[in-house]
């Protein structure tokens, strides 16, 4: 069983208890360091129109992402879709395409042959910690939730679940 989940982006939280985190994730492009786009500080929509794209199944249905791309999805060169970013990163390493993803999911530091460039204009994703309504928590889960709430909702430290 899973006690908590971290949901990214616009989500329906009506069937959960939840805590919206006051931080956001940054969308961008994972690419090889020797890519022509790697020379830029940011990636614009038009930079991607002719590139082979690797997008997640979730992103492929995101209105925010499709709106940001400013073109009909049928005109894009979507080379493949992925469920696990780790697997998609291997296709990037092989030069198969560019992954539209969130920052810091793949190591791009040090000797990595990959780099990440944020989208411009910036596109960010909301983060929401969720748990089942009427969830019976273990002591460890209660402590974790208490720590989350005391960090992100200091006025609600005396809550009960």
């Amino acid at each position: 069983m899973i006690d908590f989940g971290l949901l990214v982006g616009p989500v329906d939280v009506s069937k959960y208890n939840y805590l919206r985190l006051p931080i956001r994730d940054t969308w961008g492009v994972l690419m090889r360091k020797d890519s022509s786009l790697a020379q830029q500080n940011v990636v614009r929509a038009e930079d991607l129109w002719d590139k082979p794209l690797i997008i997640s199944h979730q992103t492929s249905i995101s209105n925010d992402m499709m709106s940001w791309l400013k073109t009909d999805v049928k005109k894009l060169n979507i080379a493949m879709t992925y469920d696990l970013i780790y697997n998609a990163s291997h296709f990037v390493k092989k030069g198969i395409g560019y992954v539209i993803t969130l920052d810091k999911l793949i190591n791009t530091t040090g000797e990595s042959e990959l780099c990440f460039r944020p989208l411009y204009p910036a596109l960010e994703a909301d983060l929401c910690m969720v748990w089942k309504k009427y969830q019976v928590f273990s002591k460890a889960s209660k402590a974790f939730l208490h720590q989350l709430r005391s960090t992100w909702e200091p006025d609600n430290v005396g809550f009960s679940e």
Side-chain angles (χ1 to χ4, degrees):
M1 286 185 83
I2 298 173
D3 289 325
F4 301 97
L6 181 65
L7 302 182
V8 179
V11 293
D12 176 13
V13 293
S14 62
K15 58 185 172 185
Y16 303 106
N17 286 327
Y18 63 93
L19 175 63
R20 289 198 191 278
L21 302 180
I23 54 177
R24 301 183 74 163
D25 242 335
T26 302
W27 282 101
V29 179
L30 182 69
M31 64 190 88
R32 291 174 51 100
K33 284 183 179 174
D34 60 1
S35 161
S36 60
L37 288 182
Q39 308 311 310
Q40 301 174 192
N41 292 325
V42 294
V43 175
R44 291 173 170 73
E46 52 273 14
D47 296 331
L48 299 175
W49 291 346
D50 64 341
K51 302 290 188 278
L53 300 179
I54 303 171
I55 61 174
S56 76
H57 284 114
Q58 183 181 12
T59 303
S60 66
I61 58 171
S62 163
N63 288 335
D64 289 344
M65 182 59 69
M66 293 306 129
S67 176
W68 182 89
L69 284 164
K70 299 185 231 175
T71 190
D72 184 349
V73 68
K74 294 175 186 165
K75 293 182 181 178
L76 295 172
N77 179 8
I78 298 177
M80 64 180 64
T81 60
Y82 68 90
D83 288 316
L84 300 172
I85 185 63
Y86 176 78
N87 294 344
S89 72
H90 287 287
F91 290 103
V92 174
K93 287 178 186 176
K94 297 287 184 190
I96 292 174
Y98 297 77
V99 174
I100 298 176
T101 186
L102 295 168
D103 196 6
K104 297 180 181 67
L105 297 179
I106 296 294
N107 180 16
T108 57
T109 63
E111 299 298 316
S112 172
E113 57 196 291
L114 302 178
C115 66
F116 177 89
R117 297 294 180 264
L119 300 180
Y120 183 84
L123 184 60
E124 296 181 322
D126 294 322
L127 300 175
C128 195
M129 184 68 68
V130 298
W131 58 96
K132 291 179 190 173
K133 291 183 177 184
Y134 314 110
Q135 175 78 20
V136 177
F137 287 117
S138 66
K139 285 184 181 182
S141 293
K142 281 183 188 176
F144 176 72
L145 183 56
H146 187 275
Q147 184 62 47
L148 272 178
R149 284 218 153 137
S150 65
T151 300
W152 301 113
E153 293 181 333
D155 295 338
N156 292 330
V157 175
F159 74 94
S160 64
E161 287 293 331

